[in-house]
């Protein structure tokens, strides 16, 4: 590992549950996550795998029935004097966390329309965070609002500043939400499926914008998505999540071109290919994710895993290292396990990805 990398987030053993009328839902079951300055980390998995619940803990966003059972989230930043500080976000008061949010941590949500206040102009919403976290006022505040909208590629800025959210297109609203998130130059930007509600053309533009801003400002980005095509375009590192746990992690190149967990095999096999025969059926992972109300014994993916071993049903696999940056929690990597080849369909899919020139960050 490069000793020059500077870690901004160190999450360890995060466990989060939800009280329901039917019992306790164990949504996050011991997640470890590291994020470094200037890098984009993606968390990918099916809906309900615990991706959003995990990252919302960084922002302190919790529902009334949510229980944080265990875990630490160390966040490292520089204070106003430029002195590095490390705090455990799980132990901060609401007031202390509010001071960090906006100025050091910001989040872009899935639906831009619900993220914006329909009763306020765009300028007023941009100004809110700036007034709270900076000394900008008057003309300087207005100039910063113009600068932010220009940064995210919005034209006719003066008119847009006077507009209300419903007067803007979906893509433009998402650009405004990104501008608000970036208003106080945060160290960490969390993007929770920011392109899901947009059409394909606008999705591509928003992804390009996030990448451009990330490279320009050198900020760290956590990107949550179920779309592996998006992950291939934006991520430096990928964490594959299933049933509340990260089951494989590595660089984007390692996870896409040398996946080791059967769940990752299934996800990649289900990616559509531009060169695929129209008559061929898209691969799907059989079965359903486990009911998180129930206690899980062994590997949560075992009932859906065509390569499952007997031990998968009785004992949870540890994280087996593949390289310094790559690991997977599957008994197939145990030296005592029988050798199982990656499915031929996936080998062909990976070869196709390379031929198609799909951009995968190294």
């Amino acid at each position: 590992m490069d000793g020059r990398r500077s870690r901004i987030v160190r999450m360890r053993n995060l466990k989060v549950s939800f009280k329901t009328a039917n019992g306790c839902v164990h949504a996050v079951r011991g997640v470890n996550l590291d994020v470094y300055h200037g890098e984009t980390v993606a968390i990918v998995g099916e809906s309900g795998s615990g991706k959003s619940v995990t990252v919302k803990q960084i922002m302190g966003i919790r529902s009334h029935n949510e229980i944080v059972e265990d875990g630490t989230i160390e966040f490292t930043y520089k204070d106003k004097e430029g002195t590095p500080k490390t705090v455990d976000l799980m132990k901060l008061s609401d007031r202390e966390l509010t001071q960090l949010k906006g100025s050091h941590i910001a989040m872009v949500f899935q639906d831009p329309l619900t993220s914006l206040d329909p009763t306020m102009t765009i300028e007023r919403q941009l100004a809110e965070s700036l007034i709270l976290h900076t000394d900008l006022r008057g003309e300087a505040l207005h100039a910063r609002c113009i600068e932010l909208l220009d940064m995210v590629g919005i034209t006719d800025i003066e008119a847009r500043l006077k507009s209300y959210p419903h007067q803007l297109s979906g893509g433009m609203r998402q650009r405004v939400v990104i501008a608000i998130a970036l208003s106080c130059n945060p160290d960490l930007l969390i993007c929770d499926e920011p392109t899901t509600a947009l059409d394909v053309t606008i999705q591509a533009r928003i992804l390009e914008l996030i990448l451009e801003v990330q490279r320009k400002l050198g900020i760290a980005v956590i990107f949550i998505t179920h779309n592996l095509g998006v992950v291939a375009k934006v991520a430096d590192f990928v964490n594959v999540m299933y049933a509340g746990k990260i089951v494989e992690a590595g660089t984007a190149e390692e996870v896409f071109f040398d996946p080791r967990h059967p769940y990752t095999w299934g996800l990649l096999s289900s990616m559509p290919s531009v060169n695929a025969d129209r008559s061929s059926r898209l691969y799907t992972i059989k079965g359903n994710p486990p009911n998180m109300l129930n206690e899980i014994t062994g590997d949560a993916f075992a009932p859906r895993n065509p390569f499952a071993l007997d031990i998968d049903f009785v004992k949870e696999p540890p994280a087996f290292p593949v390289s310094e940056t790559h690991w997977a929690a599957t008994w197939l990597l145990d030296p005592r396990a029988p050798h199982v080849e990656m499915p031929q369909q996936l080998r062909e899919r990976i070869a196709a990805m390379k031929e198609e020139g799909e951009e995968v960050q190294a």
Side-chain angles (χ1 to χ4, degrees):
M1 300 293 285
D2 188 344
R4 293 172 296 179
R5 295 168 76 214
S6 173
R7 184 161 50 196
I8 186 170
V9 175
R10 183 181 185 272
M11 181 184 293
R12 290 294 179 270
N13 198 37
L14 182 67
K15 297 180 180 178
V16 182
S17 298
F18 292 87
K19 286 183 178 179
T20 72
N22 296 319
C24 200
V25 176
H26 304 286
V28 178
R29 304 183 302 120
V31 166
N32 297 333
L33 181 70
D34 291 299
V35 183
Y36 290 81
H37 284 280
E39 297 179 354
T40 298
V41 174
I43 305 178
V44 64
E46 293 170 287
S47 297
S49 59
K51 306 183 300 294
S52 293
V53 176
T54 297
V55 297
K56 283 180 179 178
Q57 303 309 309
I58 297 173
M59 294 290 290
I61 301 173
R62 303 183 183 101
S63 59
H64 69 282
N65 64 331
E66 194 167 336
I67 307 165
V68 178
E69 299 174 335
D70 197 5
T72 60
I73 305 176
E74 294 178 355
F75 179 71
T76 302
Y77 68 102
K78 290 183 179 179
D79 62 19
K80 292 181 178 179
E81 286 72 41
T83 304
K85 294 187 67 175
T86 298
V87 295
D88 184 351
L89 299 177
M90 306 299 281
K91 295 180 179 178
L92 297 184
S93 65
D94 290 343
R95 186 166 178 267
E96 290 170 325
L97 196 53
T98 298
Q99 290 175 340
L100 282 180
K101 288 192 291 188
S103 58
H104 294 283
I105 310 171
M107 190 165 183
V108 176
F109 293 93
Q110 191 174 127
D111 186 354
L113 191 56
T114 57
S115 300
L116 297 169
D117 189 328
T119 68
M120 295 168 57
T121 65
I122 299 305
E123 180 166 18
R124 188 176 170 193
Q125 296 190 59
L126 279 166
E128 266 196 329
S129 183
L130 291 166
I131 291 172
L132 180 63
H133 296 289
T134 74
D135 297 326
L136 295 176
R137 298 294 184 271
E139 283 302 316
L141 181 64
H142 179 69
R144 177 58 175 161
C145 291
I146 292 174
E147 181 185 6
L148 287 165
L149 290 192
D150 181 61
M151 180 191 298
V152 296
I154 289 181
T155 57
D156 196 9
I157 293 176
E158 288 291 355
R160 300 308 179 196
L161 286 173
K162 296 180 176 65
S163 300
Y164 290 86
H166 72 274
Q167 296 174 309
L168 306 181
S169 67
M172 201 173 291
R173 285 194 294 264
Q174 193 61 293
R175 287 173 184 266
V176 169
V177 170
I178 293 170
I180 293 172
L182 297 172
S183 60
C184 296
N185 297 319
D187 303 299
L188 173 67
L189 179 66
I190 302 171
C191 298
D192 188 4
E193 308 232 27
T195 61
T196 299
L198 306 173
D199 65 51
V200 176
T201 303
I202 303 301
Q203 278 187 25
R205 292 175 184 169
I206 295 299
L207 289 176
E208 288 171 7
L209 170 62
I210 292 171
L211 278 174
E212 181 184 339
V213 168
Q214 191 265 349
R215 288 165 181 162
K216 181 179 178 181
L217 302 180
I219 60 177
V221 176
I222 300 177
F223 207 99
I224 308 301
T225 184
H226 61 270
N227 187 330
L228 284 169
V230 168
V231 173
K233 290 179 173 65
V234 304
D236 296 303
F237 291 87
V238 179
N239 294 265
V240 180
M241 199 164 184
Y242 183 78
K245 293 185 77 73
I246 293 174
V247 298
E248 183 162 6
T251 66
E253 188 172 77
E254 288 170 331
V255 173
F256 273 84
F257 295 153
D258 187 26
R260 297 302 182 95
H261 197 286
Y263 177 60
T264 312
W265 290 353
L267 287 180
L268 291 171
S269 296
S270 64
M271 283 180 66
S273 170
V274 295
N275 293 327
D277 187 335
R278 288 188 178 184
S279 62
S280 63
R281 297 185 61 181
L282 196 63
Y283 177 85
T284 57
I285 301 174
K286 295 180 180 179
N288 297 304
N291 185 340
M292 303 302 282
L293 283 167
N294 303 327
E295 183 177 350
I296 295 174
T297 302
D299 186 344
F301 188 60
R304 305 174 72 187
N305 182 6
F307 310 99
L309 307 173
D310 290 343
I311 194 173
D312 281 308
F313 294 91
V314 295
K315 189 174 182 180
E316 185 176 69
F320 289 95
V322 179
S323 74
E324 287 188 2
T325 54
H326 186 194
W327 62 264
T330 171
W331 285 114
L332 292 179
L333 290 177
D334 189 291
R336 298 165 293 179
H339 179 69
V340 175
E341 291 282 352
M342 183 190 301
Q344 181 61 30
Q345 181 179 356
L346 179 55
R347 289 185 181 280
E348 294 172 359
R349 181 69 189 93
I350 290 174
M353 281 196 291
K354 292 179 178 178
E355 287 178 10
E356 291 163 13
E358 295 183 15
E359 182 183 353
V360 176
Q361 306 294 324

